[in-house]
Amino acid sequence: MKNYLIAANWKQNGNLKSLSHLTRNIIALSSKRKIRHKIILFPPAIYLFNIDSLIKNKKNILLGVQNISPYNDGAFTGEVSSKMAKDSGCNYVIIGHSERRHIFGESDLEIQSKVSASNDMKMNIILCVGETASERRKKMTKKVITKQLRTALFPLRNRLRKNLQKLVIAYEPVWAIGTGKNATTEQISDIHNYIAKSLSNIFGRNSLKIKILYGGSVNTANAKSILELDSVDGALVGGASLQAKKFIEICSSI
Ligand code: PGA
């Protein structure tokens, strides 16, 4: 049985009360349903400490931060460093989510700096890649993904190689995020296999240690068929992770 990783990206939703309630329900349901897969919760950064205190001692439920500063300590108003995130109980970080790229204008080079800073702190990195609808229409999907992967990873390859099991790629087609329009299993297999090949071009045979997740409108109806694909090692779930019952149903579909 594959060791799946299911991530819950809560984005900028909820408040202390509702997210604590959601966390308690996820803990209770995951133990009731005997979920063995690794679950990673990504609350808004301001609540990391609170959520961490609720999941303490839960071996399969871990904590992550949705975004990270590309810098270490210093005069960077509003930023949270990898060291601070670790201090708040985080072992995972999402880097290059499409909302960061497209709403906040994050470049591939900034993403590379974030990967570098998080790797220095030995964080587990979930690097998101994916094409927009118009890029897919123009048949540019693979080109876009190659650029995203190579700019973020290639210059750091020698350092990353030491901890490849801590690197995770999430394929998240921008047109599938929050739209209810998930990619088809054929599209997912095609791109996941392509990502695996690109990673092997960068890192060689050891790249098999890198998990590849799918994200984009994963829900209780499509989770099983997506997670059953050979090339899929887990999911990054947004909207459906805000309801404990739905999220745990996704986790228990495999
Ligand atoms: P969604 O979000 O599941 O709501 O489409 C996924 C994501 O943004 O990671």
Side-chain angles (χ1 to χ4, degrees):
M1 171 88 146
K2 236 190 263 177
N3 196 2
Y4 286 96
L5 196 158
I6 316 283
N9 179 10
W10 294 341
K11 310 191 180 184
Q12 192 186 298
N13 289 300
N15 54 41
L16 182 56
K17 195 171 165 204
S18 69
L19 296 176
S20 302
H21 184 70
L22 176 60
T23 305
R24 286 195 193 93
N25 283 342
I26 287 178
I27 294 170
L29 286 171
S30 106
S31 95
K32 192 170 158 203
R33 301 287 292 268
K34 298 194 172 29
I35 307 288
R36 297 260 146 71
H37 312 300
K38 223 179 242 176
I39 292 175
I40 327 281
L41 305 180
F42 290 88
I46 194 109
Y47 303 130
L48 284 170
F49 228 76
N50 310 81
I51 304 300
D52 184 51
S53 69
L54 297 174
I55 60 172
K56 277 254 174 316
N57 310 319
K58 303 280 170 285
K59 256 174 57 201
N60 71 320
I61 305 184
L62 300 162
L63 192 67
V65 64
Q66 298 173 13
N67 179 36
I68 206 73
S69 170
Y71 306 107
N72 295 322
D73 294 349
F76 304 106
T77 302
E79 293 290 291
V80 171
S81 71
S82 301
K83 200 157 105 191
M84 293 166 182
K86 264 211 135 166
D87 220 15
S88 311
C90 284
N91 280 307
Y92 279 80
V93 54
I94 296 176
I95 299 181
H97 188 279
S98 80
E99 285 146 20
R100 302 292 326 165
R101 291 177 189 268
H102 296 286
I103 302 174
F104 298 97
E106 251 176 42
S107 69
D108 284 322
L109 275 177
E110 262 176 284
I111 288 165
Q112 181 199 106
S113 308
K114 293 181 177 201
V115 170
S116 172
S118 299
N119 181 60
D120 286 347
M121 285 310 296
K122 301 203 166 28
M123 302 269 287
N124 293 279
I125 294 165
I126 302 185
L127 171 68
C128 300
V129 296
E131 81 287 4
T132 62
S134 94
E135 287 162 346
R136 177 163 280 271
R137 261 195 315 276
K138 292 182 203 146
K139 302 201 183 315
M140 285 167 61
T141 300
K142 290 181 180 168
K143 199 171 156 205
V144 167
I145 286 173
T146 303
K147 180 171 171 282
Q148 291 171 337
L149 286 175
R150 283 194 86 80
T151 316
L153 303 176
F154 191 77
L156 307 173
R157 65 196 180 286
N158 292 329
R159 282 159 56 205
L160 290 168
R161 212 175 253 136
K162 295 179 190 135
N163 282 312
L164 274 190
Q165 72 290 347
K166 286 185 176 266
L167 181 62
V168 176
I169 307 297
Y171 170 50
E172 295 211 312
V174 180
W175 48 271
I177 297 177
T179 58
K181 224 167 59 184
N182 62 285
T184 65
T185 49
E186 289 75 22
Q187 289 169 328
I188 297 172
S189 291
D190 179 35
I191 300 302
H192 277 225
N193 289 330
Y194 181 75
I195 290 174
K197 208 173 91 197
S198 309
L199 293 171
S200 116
N201 289 339
I202 299 174
F203 296 112
R205 239 184 314 143
N206 275 348
S207 65
L208 289 173
K209 291 183 187 161
I210 305 172
K211 285 190 192 308
I212 307 176
L213 316 183
Y214 169 77
S217 296
V218 173
N219 58 37
T220 49
N222 60 27
K224 189 172 161 59
S225 61
I226 294 173
L227 291 167
E228 269 175 0
L229 295 171
D230 273 350
S231 58
V232 173
D233 301 306
L236 181 46
V237 187
S241 71
L242 288 165
Q243 290 175 49
K245 245 178 104 179
K246 280 194 181 163
F247 181 64
I248 292 298
E249 210 174 310
I250 290 170
C251 297
S252 49
S253 63
I254 21 116

